[in-house]
mmCIF file of all heavy atoms in Angstrom:
data_model
loop_
_atom_site.group_PDB
_atom_site.id
_atom_site.type_symbol
_atom_site.label_atom_id
_atom_site.label_comp_id
_atom_site.label_asym_id
_atom_site.label_seq_id
_atom_site.Cartn_x
_atom_site.Cartn_y
_atom_site.Cartn_z
ATOM 1 N N LYS F 4 2.336 7.719 0.769
ATOM 2 C CA LYS F 4 2.468 9.169 0.605
ATOM 3 C C LYS F 4 1.101 9.842 0.683
ATOM 4 O O LYS F 4 0.076 9.231 0.442
ATOM 5 C CB LYS F 4 3.140 9.472 -0.720
ATOM 6 C CG LYS F 4 4.590 9.090 -0.711
ATOM 7 C CD LYS F 4 5.184 9.263 -2.093
ATOM 8 C CE LYS F 4 6.491 8.523 -2.184
ATOM 9 N NZ LYS F 4 6.757 8.080 -3.548
ATOM 10 N N ASN F 5 1.149 11.141 1.007
ATOM 11 C CA ASN F 5 -0.084 11.816 1.341
ATOM 12 C C ASN F 5 -0.516 12.850 0.304
ATOM 13 O O ASN F 5 -0.616 14.023 0.608
ATOM 14 C CB ASN F 5 0.102 12.477 2.718
ATOM 15 C CG ASN F 5 -1.210 12.592 3.429
ATOM 16 O OD1 ASN F 5 -2.138 11.848 3.125
ATOM 17 N ND2 ASN F 5 -1.310 13.537 4.339
ATOM 18 N N TYR F 6 -0.687 12.418 -0.879
ATOM 19 C CA TYR F 6 -1.281 13.290 -1.897
ATOM 20 C C TYR F 6 -2.216 12.429 -2.737
ATOM 21 O O TYR F 6 -2.136 11.198 -2.695
ATOM 22 C CB TYR F 6 -0.213 13.989 -2.756
ATOM 23 C CG TYR F 6 0.877 13.107 -3.305
ATOM 24 C CD1 TYR F 6 0.669 12.330 -4.450
ATOM 25 C CD2 TYR F 6 2.122 13.050 -2.696
ATOM 26 C CE1 TYR F 6 1.669 11.526 -4.970
ATOM 27 C CE2 TYR F 6 3.135 12.240 -3.205
ATOM 28 C CZ TYR F 6 2.903 11.488 -4.348
ATOM 29 O OH TYR F 6 3.888 10.689 -4.843
ATOM 30 N N PRO F 7 -3.132 13.049 -3.484
ATOM 31 C CA PRO F 7 -4.132 12.243 -4.205
ATOM 32 C C PRO F 7 -3.495 11.245 -5.160
ATOM 33 O O PRO F 7 -2.621 11.594 -5.956
ATOM 34 C CB PRO F 7 -4.935 13.302 -4.982
ATOM 35 C CG PRO F 7 -4.768 14.545 -4.187
ATOM 36 C CD PRO F 7 -3.364 14.489 -3.640
ATOM 37 N N MET F 8 -3.921 9.998 -5.047
ATOM 38 C CA MET F 8 -3.367 8.952 -5.915
ATOM 39 C C MET F 8 -4.464 7.960 -6.300
ATOM 40 O O MET F 8 -4.414 6.778 -5.955
ATOM 41 C CB MET F 8 -2.227 8.218 -5.200
ATOM 42 C CG MET F 8 -0.929 8.988 -5.176
ATOM 43 S SD MET F 8 0.387 8.088 -4.359
ATOM 44 C CE MET F 8 -0.085 8.263 -2.659
ATOM 45 N N CYS F 9 -5.467 8.435 -7.007
ATOM 46 C CA CYS F 9 -6.555 7.562 -7.427
ATOM 47 C C CYS F 9 -6.022 6.361 -8.219
ATOM 48 O O CYS F 9 -6.611 5.267 -8.151
ATOM 49 C CB CYS F 9 -7.548 8.340 -8.280
ATOM 50 S SG CYS F 9 -8.481 9.565 -7.342
ATOM 51 N N ALA F 10 -4.956 6.557 -8.940
ATOM 52 C CA ALA F 10 -4.428 5.458 -9.757
ATOM 53 C C ALA F 10 -3.946 4.289 -8.903
ATOM 54 O O ALA F 10 -3.811 3.168 -9.401
ATOM 55 C CB ALA F 10 -3.302 5.968 -10.654
ATOM 56 N N HIS F 11 -3.690 4.531 -7.617
ATOM 57 C CA HIS F 11 -3.274 3.439 -6.719
ATOM 58 C C HIS F 11 -4.440 2.914 -5.875
ATOM 59 O O HIS F 11 -4.243 2.064 -5.016
ATOM 60 C CB HIS F 11 -2.180 3.933 -5.761
ATOM 61 C CG HIS F 11 -0.822 4.023 -6.389
ATOM 62 N ND1 HIS F 11 -0.121 2.931 -6.831
ATOM 63 C CD2 HIS F 11 -0.033 5.096 -6.640
ATOM 64 C CE1 HIS F 11 1.038 3.311 -7.331
ATOM 65 N NE2 HIS F 11 1.117 4.625 -7.234
ATOM 66 N N CYS F 12 -5.631 3.429 -6.088
ATOM 67 C CA CYS F 12 -6.759 3.109 -5.189
ATOM 68 C C CYS F 12 -7.287 1.697 -5.441
ATOM 69 O O CYS F 12 -7.679 1.368 -6.568
ATOM 70 C CB CYS F 12 -7.875 4.122 -5.391
ATOM 71 S SG CYS F 12 -9.319 3.782 -4.375
ATOM 72 N N PRO F 13 -7.356 0.869 -4.394
ATOM 73 C CA PRO F 13 -7.861 -0.498 -4.590
ATOM 74 C C PRO F 13 -9.383 -0.584 -4.485
ATOM 75 O O PRO F 13 -9.967 -1.601 -4.836
ATOM 76 C CB PRO F 13 -7.207 -1.260 -3.431
ATOM 77 C CG PRO F 13 -7.008 -0.235 -2.367
ATOM 78 C CD PRO F 13 -6.866 1.103 -3.030
ATOM 79 N N VAL F 14 -10.055 0.455 -3.989
ATOM 80 C CA VAL F 14 -11.493 0.312 -3.691
ATOM 81 C C VAL F 14 -12.426 1.140 -4.572
ATOM 82 O O VAL F 14 -13.589 0.766 -4.783
ATOM 83 C CB VAL F 14 -11.784 0.648 -2.200
ATOM 84 C CG1 VAL F 14 -11.252 -0.426 -1.294
ATOM 85 C CG2 VAL F 14 -11.226 2.010 -1.815
ATOM 86 N N LYS F 15 -11.965 2.270 -5.050
ATOM 87 C CA LYS F 15 -12.794 3.163 -5.902
ATOM 88 C C LYS F 15 -14.158 3.430 -5.254
ATOM 89 O O LYS F 15 -15.218 3.283 -5.884
ATOM 90 C CB LYS F 15 -12.990 2.558 -7.305
ATOM 91 C CG LYS F 15 -11.707 2.093 -7.997
ATOM 92 C CD LYS F 15 -10.956 3.219 -8.661
ATOM 93 C CE LYS F 15 -9.809 2.773 -9.544
ATOM 94 N NZ LYS F 15 -8.578 2.382 -8.866
ATOM 95 N N THR F 16 -14.094 3.786 -3.987
ATOM 96 C CA THR F 16 -15.320 4.067 -3.225
ATOM 97 C C THR F 16 -16.203 5.101 -3.927
ATOM 98 O O THR F 16 -17.431 5.034 -3.860
ATOM 99 C CB THR F 16 -14.942 4.635 -1.832
ATOM 100 O OG1 THR F 16 -13.934 3.790 -1.284
ATOM 101 C CG2 THR F 16 -16.121 4.693 -0.894
ATOM 102 N N CYS F 17 -15.575 6.054 -4.595
ATOM 103 C CA CYS F 17 -16.338 7.156 -5.222
ATOM 104 C C CYS F 17 -17.324 6.646 -6.263
ATOM 105 O O CYS F 17 -18.332 7.290 -6.539
ATOM 106 C CB CYS F 17 -15.374 8.163 -5.845
ATOM 107 S SG CYS F 17 -14.182 7.397 -6.963
ATOM 108 N N GLU F 18 -17.048 5.484 -6.843
ATOM 109 C CA GLU F 18 -17.976 4.959 -7.859
ATOM 110 C C GLU F 18 -19.282 4.492 -7.239
ATOM 111 O O GLU F 18 -20.309 4.445 -7.894
ATOM 112 C CB GLU F 18 -17.333 3.786 -8.613
ATOM 113 C CG GLU F 18 -16.216 4.230 -9.532
ATOM 114 C CD GLU F 18 -15.685 3.087 -10.367
ATOM 115 O OE1 GLU F 18 -15.533 1.960 -9.836
ATOM 116 O OE2 GLU F 18 -15.412 3.310 -11.551
ATOM 117 N N ASN F 19 -19.211 4.097 -5.980
ATOM 118 C CA ASN F 19 -20.402 3.649 -5.248
ATOM 119 C C ASN F 19 -21.204 2.648 -6.086
ATOM 120 O O ASN F 19 -22.436 2.684 -6.110
ATOM 121 C CB ASN F 19 -21.276 4.866 -4.899
ATOM 122 C CG ASN F 19 -21.959 4.694 -3.555
ATOM 123 O OD1 ASN F 19 -21.645 3.768 -2.803
ATOM 124 N ND2 ASN F 19 -22.897 5.570 -3.247
ATOM 125 N N ARG F 20 -20.457 1.796 -6.751
ATOM 126 C CA ARG F 20 -21.054 0.877 -7.734
ATOM 127 C C ARG F 20 -22.085 -0.064 -7.111
ATOM 128 O O ARG F 20 -21.862 -0.604 -6.027
ATOM 129 C CB ARG F 20 -19.924 0.046 -8.350
ATOM 130 C CG ARG F 20 -20.225 -0.456 -9.727
ATOM 131 C CD ARG F 20 -18.950 -0.957 -10.352
ATOM 132 N NE ARG F 20 -18.239 0.117 -11.025
ATOM 133 C CZ ARG F 20 -18.162 0.235 -12.346
ATOM 134 N NH1 ARG F 20 -18.734 -0.640 -13.105
ATOM 135 N NH2 ARG F 20 -17.514 1.238 -12.891
ATOM 136 N N GLY F 21 -23.203 -0.212 -7.752
ATOM 137 C CA GLY F 21 -24.209 -1.175 -7.282
ATOM 138 C C GLY F 21 -25.155 -0.596 -6.241
ATOM 139 O O GLY F 21 -26.142 -1.230 -5.884
#
Side-chain angles (χ1 to χ4, degrees):
K4 289 174 196 151
N5 208 23
Y6 48 81
M8 283 181 285
C9 291
H11 282 294
C12 178
V14 289
K15 310 278 190 282
T16 312
C17 53
E18 289 186 319
N19 215 10
R20 206 166 272 253

